[in-house]
Amino acid sequence: MHARGVTAPARYFPVEPAPLRMQAGLIRFGTELGNGARDRLFFQVDDERPRYLAAKRATSPSRHVIAGGDDLANRARQSAITWMRETLAREAPDALRDADADHDARDPIEAIARAVQEDVAVLEHGGGEGRAVALDVRFPSGWRPELLAGASFTRIHAPVPGFAKDDRVSRSMVSSMIGRGPYVRFVWTLSADDALDHHPDSGLRRDWEHAVRAWLRVERQITVPLDGASVFLIRTYLYDVATLDDAQREVVREALRVMPDELREYKKLPTRDTFDRVIGR
């Protein structure tokens, strides 16, 4: 497989020294966030692409799900395929060629998803909030995407503490996905390993009790509105905490100190004392 770029991954640091809460946090796509022209790319290609694609192919085929055979679902998927192909032709033509050469893929969405570093979801919005009509999520952060085929945006995010309690967040994000944007948002967590795949069944996630290193895990989530549909891209980045500067590590420590217990448990985050032990503070 080929990649146009041989550059290090983009770097994002969305951690704030304040209690974490569920919020839309939408930023207009293309806003300069410290990575130059790469912040204006939907699909980022970097020198870790071979690792990402190998990790995707090592996951269970069940991570790719197509839901709904009706006209609305079919049109949404076709709109998504057209948009992704046109975008890759501009941004990463080598990835598009790899997708076209993937004769083992079961459909065009899987072929594209297996050629890029992002995970992909397609939502159909013909009936209001709509439903997920295609999911190819190989690197989930502790959830089972294959169980959410046909689910609404709200149902997909219902397990997140605080999300179900604030309808404004859901309405804001759905409205943006349908009629505005594209937008980008970031979510973060910490992990005791550098595995991309944190599916509950993968067995790759290390617990904090035996941790000797820590990684900041950041998801760059992009929503792209289409005609009666939307594309949701999720790019996972892993940064060794040892590569953060002193000020950034202090922000992480403060974020852990004020983290609500409900969110700490949901995200399986360490306490600040455990984090300090792991990083040798």
Side-chain angles (χ1 to χ4, degrees):
M1 294 186 180
H2 308 285
R4 169 184 279 184
V6 288
T7 183
R11 291 191 71 91
Y12 299 101
F13 185 77
V15 189
E16 296 183 358
L20 190 64
R21 59 190 177 89
M22 181 62 194
Q23 55 185 335
L26 299 175
I27 304 168
R28 176 68 63 176
F29 178 81
T31 299
E32 171 62 47
L33 298 172
N35 296 283
R38 283 189 290 177
D39 287 329
R40 298 189 293 275
L41 296 177
F42 291 96
F43 297 95
Q44 293 183 356
V45 176
D46 56 54
D47 56 12
E48 290 195 4
R49 181 172 180 254
R51 178 197 175 205
Y52 277 67
L53 301 196
K56 282 193 174 191
R57 287 175 179 264
T59 63
S60 167
S62 66
R63 306 287 182 85
H64 176 77
V65 184
I66 298 295
D70 54 281
D71 288 345
L72 287 176
N74 290 333
R75 284 200 296 269
R77 286 190 290 267
Q78 188 55 56
S79 293
I81 292 167
T82 299
W83 178 85
M84 288 190 288
R85 290 186 60 84
E86 291 175 350
T87 303
L88 286 172
R90 295 192 308 270
E91 296 185 352
D94 288 345
L96 181 58
R97 282 192 288 272
D98 287 342
D100 288 340
D102 187 353
H103 302 302
D104 294 327
R106 288 164 288 181
D107 56 71
I109 292 177
E110 183 176 42
I112 291 171
R114 299 205 311 179
V116 299
Q117 288 169 257
E118 290 76 12
D119 282 335
V120 178
V122 180
L123 276 71
E124 173 270 308
H125 298 292
E129 183 180 354
R131 55 190 163 139
V133 295
L135 290 164
D136 197 296
V137 181
R138 309 288 173 150
F139 306 142
S141 294
W143 54 292
R144 291 180 166 84
E146 68 275 13
L147 300 182
L148 295 174
S152 69
F153 185 85
T154 298
R155 182 185 157 206
I156 290 172
H157 290 84
V160 180
F163 186 92
K165 299 176 184 177
D166 193 344
D167 289 340
R168 294 171 301 174
V169 174
S170 177
R171 287 197 301 268
S172 173
M173 295 185 71
V174 171
S175 176
S176 298
M177 292 173 71
I178 296 174
R180 299 192 298 274
Y183 288 105
V184 60
R185 67 187 293 263
F186 296 89
V187 297
W188 68 272
T189 188
L190 291 168
S191 63
D193 59 75
D194 64 347
L196 289 161
D197 180 11
H198 272 185
H199 189 286
D201 298 334
S202 72
L204 299 175
R205 190 170 189 169
R206 180 176 296 170
D207 62 60
W208 286 104
E209 181 181 354
H210 303 99
V212 294
R213 293 173 66 184
W215 282 264
L216 175 65
R217 184 182 177 104
V218 175
E219 289 184 0
R220 179 192 190 224
Q221 302 180 355
I222 299 173
T223 60
V224 183
L226 303 172
D227 183 16
S230 63
V231 174
F232 192 55
L233 302 177
I234 308 169
R235 169 65 192 274
T236 300
Y237 303 84
L238 287 164
Y239 308 121
D240 190 332
V241 169
T243 67
L244 304 181
D245 61 36
D246 290 343
Q248 290 174 327
R249 281 194 291 272
E250 192 58 34
V251 169
V252 174
R253 293 180 72 248
E254 179 62 13
L256 290 175
R257 187 185 71 81
V258 299
M259 181 72 61
D261 290 340
E262 186 182 21
L263 268 173
R264 184 193 309 282
E265 182 177 348
Y266 171 75
K267 285 178 165 286
K268 294 182 171 57
L269 287 166
T271 64
R272 189 170 68 167
D273 288 345
T274 298
F275 178 73
D276 285 348
R277 173 186 63 77
V278 171
I279 68 173
R281 186 181 176 90

